[in-house]
Amino acid sequence: MKTILKSLLSSGLLFSISTPTFAEIKTGYFIDSPVTGLYYQTSSQLSGTTNKGAFEYRSGDVVRFFLGNDDSGYLLSTLSGQEVVTPTLATTTPSKSINLTRLLLSLDSTPNNREEITLASKMLSDVSFQQQLKKIDLNILDHSAAALNMELVSVKEAVQHLNQSQKYIEQNFTSDNIIYRPLNKRFEHTTIKKKDWQGRVCVYDIKYQHHPKFRPSFGNIEYEVSLSHLTQYPSSGDYFNGCRLNPSNSVEKIKEPISEFDGFGGLIGCSTTGCTRNDLNGFSLDNYNDAGDWKYRTIAMNFDPETELFMEKAQGLGPNEHIKHQNRSEKITFTYPKEKEKHIPFEGIWRQTQYQDNTIHTTCLLIKDGSVFKGPNETRSCSLKRDDYQLDVSKEYADMWWIKNKTKSARLVQMNLLIRWYLNGNQAQHTSWEYLPAGKNWHQGILYRYRQTLQVQPDGTEELHTFSISEFSKI
């Protein structure tokens, strides 16, 4: 039981539904240090520019944040409105969280004062800079940002800054208010390996997904906490050999006294008392000796009260004086109530905005009955008439492997994997999918498709190079 649950401790666009205009206006804060100069837009039609982090929203809102003067700027994130928004909350990818901070710090017009980030508005207003900005992949910022012609803040500085920002949040947003009660809820706890300790990326090869010996790069645990016990239900487990799930650690039903888990963080730690915002949100830099196994990594956790999604992200920061191996492991964990398990409905009309080379191209697509159909080219907005979608382009979107699901909806894990797929049946391709749920029903987020090449480096680590980025918003 202890070995299975250690992971719980160590991992520690269209706005089609509007919020009623009579709802109370609240103030939230974008904190990476308080950020001034981000443009924001909510699903209840509130908009403006953050001032010392502050933005306005209403309960139930979905909020989009842009680098630029309006919504034509670079879209940073789409997420549920809440009191505190951070770079770690704004994405499902560990490295992207840190790189988002690197980008914001690099665009700070007052670099000598990191207690606040004031974005360089003149640079962000430049049309050519915006064109280059929209082509970067924040997952691999160093390779994709060369065209920005700017000096980037280091990973080390960004991690230290996030650590300081967490202290600022704890000092300024401490509250005893209970925002969530996990007691007697059955949770799905899914872990996705992004990289192994050697820095090799974890790829899900869809060719072998139904092979009896295939071991995926994700696993799960189901559990429930009562006042007296923690019960773990039969599940695949979440222990890995490198990138592959270790089937020998699958879980049987186990019930143990809740006292055995004193000191645990996250949802387990506050299950019996109710959870405050600070119980479920945080960022820390680990650098310590764990019984002979030195830890040098970042740990981030975030909770969205609207979606009820709890995220935990861990990222190894490379070698140091105590660690001689690559130390590049990355993983993300999603935890949410099993009784209201979320699947993202994908059938319908989607607007795709693709950034590739020096072009921005918009396409309207219909996903129906396991196929993808393209709409008319010459149009400002996507037609809502399904008869206008006649051209079958399914082969070009074979990486949308989840559209074959019989449920006509995709699991969250499926939309957050790096997959290997095959163009025309035999040409190996790589796509990283990313989807951060927004809104109560999880359907108001933006789906990202990163077309990539995989390259092995001289030190044995692997790197992804992005040549095309697409944003999909459902109409």
Side-chain angles (χ1 to χ4, degrees):
M1 177 63 173
K2 295 298 190 304
T3 56
I4 293 295
L5 280 169
K6 278 182 181 177
S7 61
L8 295 170
L9 177 60
S10 63
S11 52
L13 180 2
L14 193 67
F15 299 148
S16 56
I17 300 180
S18 60
T19 306
T21 56
F22 51 81
E24 177 188 358
I25 294 178
K26 299 181 177 181
T27 300
Y29 295 87
F30 194 107
I31 303 296
D32 188 11
S33 290
V35 180
T36 293
L38 276 179
Y39 181 79
Y40 69 90
Q41 188 180 71
T42 79
S43 52
S44 67
Q45 308 308 312
L46 295 171
S47 63
T49 302
T50 57
N51 181 18
K52 298 186 183 301
F55 64 92
E56 293 184 334
Y57 72 101
R58 294 184 173 95
S59 294
D61 262 348
V62 173
V63 187
R64 296 188 292 174
F65 292 95
F66 299 85
L67 280 173
N69 296 328
D70 53 34
D71 60 1
S72 65
Y74 174 63
L75 178 62
L76 276 185
S77 185
T78 300
L79 66 170
S80 303
Q82 50 202 285
E83 182 184 13
V84 179
V85 173
T86 66
T88 58
L89 180 66
T91 172
T92 64
T93 308
S95 55
K96 190 173 179 180
S97 299
I98 293 174
N99 283 336
L100 175 52
T101 290
R102 293 177 66 198
L103 181 61
L104 291 174
L105 289 174
S106 301
L107 289 168
D108 186 5
S109 61
T110 57
N112 294 324
N113 176 20
R114 293 305 197 193
E115 294 182 359
E116 181 182 346
I117 294 176
T118 303
L119 296 174
S121 58
K122 184 176 181 180
M123 182 182 295
L124 291 173
S125 300
D126 184 83
V127 175
S128 60
F129 183 81
Q130 278 287 344
Q131 288 178 334
Q132 297 299 329
L133 190 60
K134 290 177 180 179
K135 293 187 293 184
I136 69 170
D137 180 356
L138 280 174
N139 295 289
I140 47 176
L141 183 60
D142 291 285
H143 297 286
S144 61
L148 294 178
N149 193 28
M150 59 185 290
E151 185 175 350
L152 291 171
V153 165
S154 68
V155 170
K156 182 178 180 180
E157 183 176 346
V159 168
Q160 291 173 341
H161 182 78
L162 281 168
N163 212 23
Q164 290 298 317
S165 294
Q166 178 59 31
K167 294 177 182 178
Y168 174 88
I169 291 169
E170 290 172 356
Q171 292 169 358
N172 291 275
F173 295 95
T174 300
S175 172
D176 293 329
N177 293 336
I178 302 299
I179 66 168
Y180 194 64
R181 297 187 182 276
L183 197 65
N184 299 319
K185 294 180 183 286
R186 184 163 169 173
F187 287 96
E188 176 93 7
H189 174 93
T190 299
T191 299
I192 303 173
K193 281 296 293 284
K194 295 290 188 178
K195 285 186 177 181
D196 68 10
W197 63 270
Q198 300 177 81
R200 294 180 297 198
V201 297
C202 299
V203 182
Y204 185 91
D205 195 321
I206 64 173
K207 178 186 288 187
Y208 301 106
Q209 61 179 308
H210 300 302
H211 193 282
K213 294 185 177 181
F214 178 65
R215 291 181 292 145
S217 54
F218 60 88
N220 80 300
I221 294 172
E222 293 182 23
Y223 70 92
E224 181 176 343
V225 178
S226 70
L227 283 173
S228 58
H229 289 83
L230 187 147
T231 303
Q232 195 167 235
Y233 297 95
S235 49
S236 66
D238 62 351
Y239 275 76
F240 300 85
N241 292 328
C243 285
R244 301 300 171 207
L245 185 68
N246 187 343
S248 65
N249 283 289
S250 59
V251 182
E252 301 299 326
K253 186 173 181 178
I254 303 171
K255 188 175 183 179
E256 287 204 299
I258 191 62
S259 59
E260 295 291 322
F261 304 94
D262 288 345
F264 268 50
L267 289 167
I268 289 180
C270 55
S271 287
T272 58
T273 58
C275 303
T276 67
R277 203 207 71 81
N278 283 348
D279 286 331
L280 300 180
N281 294 271
F283 180 90
S284 63
L285 170 61
D286 285 348
N287 192 0
Y288 66 95
N289 189 352
D290 183 16
D293 180 16
W294 200 277
K295 305 295 185 185
Y296 179 46
R297 62 186 180 182
T298 62
I299 302 289
M301 62 179 187
N302 296 99
F303 179 73
D304 181 347
E306 188 73 10
T307 61
E308 295 185 64
L309 176 65
F310 180 58
M311 292 192 298
E312 300 167 276
K313 291 175 281 190
Q315 178 179 0
L317 294 174
N320 64 9
E321 64 271 24
H322 304 288
I323 301 174
K324 304 308 176 185
H325 60 76
Q326 294 291 346
N327 188 31
R328 298 294 182 185
S329 178
E330 289 188 30
K331 66 178 179 179
I332 180 169
T333 299
F334 299 121
T335 307
Y336 52 88
K338 178 71 175 178
E339 64 267 20
K340 51 185 300 185
E341 184 173 9
K342 299 292 185 180
H343 292 272
I344 298 96
F346 54 72
E347 286 213 330
I349 297 169
W350 294 75
R351 178 186 291 108
Q352 175 189 4
T353 304
Q354 183 178 20
Y355 307 95
Q356 186 170 352
D357 299 325
N358 293 315
T359 64
I360 300 176
H361 184 65
T362 300
T363 307
C364 298
L365 302 171
L366 170 66
I367 299 177
K368 179 183 177 182
D369 298 330
S371 299
V372 183
F373 300 92
K374 184 179 177 181
N377 285 327
E378 301 298 328
T379 178
R380 285 190 172 186
S381 60
C382 292
S383 172
L384 298 180
K385 298 178 180 178
R386 297 197 172 200
D387 290 343
D388 289 340
Y389 297 82
Q390 296 295 328
L391 181 62
D392 191 331
V393 291
S394 300
K395 289 184 178 179
E396 298 176 26
Y397 295 90
D399 51 350
M400 286 186 171
W401 59 296
W402 25 266
I403 69 173
K404 301 297 183 181
N405 291 354
K406 293 181 181 180
T407 59
K408 298 185 178 181
S409 62
R411 295 170 57 200
L412 183 59
V413 64
Q414 291 179 309
M415 286 187 166
N416 281 280
L417 291 177
L418 165 64
I419 69 164
R420 182 178 291 121
W421 59 289
Y422 299 86
L423 188 63
N424 299 321
N426 58 6
Q427 300 172 31
Q429 309 283 313
H430 292 88
T431 295
S432 288
W433 290 105
E434 180 186 350
Y435 185 79
L436 176 63
K440 188 173 183 179
N441 295 317
W442 287 27
H443 67 291
Q444 291 178 272
I446 300 295
L447 177 64
Y448 289 93
R449 179 201 200 198
Y450 299 95
R451 297 285 309 279
Q452 298 165 318
T453 58
L454 192 155
Q455 299 179 7
V456 180
Q457 304 305 301
D459 61 1
T461 60
E462 294 178 341
E463 291 184 352
L464 294 165
H465 293 261
T466 301
F467 62 87
S468 175
I469 301 174
S470 292
E471 298 169 0
F472 294 86
S473 55
K474 196 173 183 185
I475 304 301

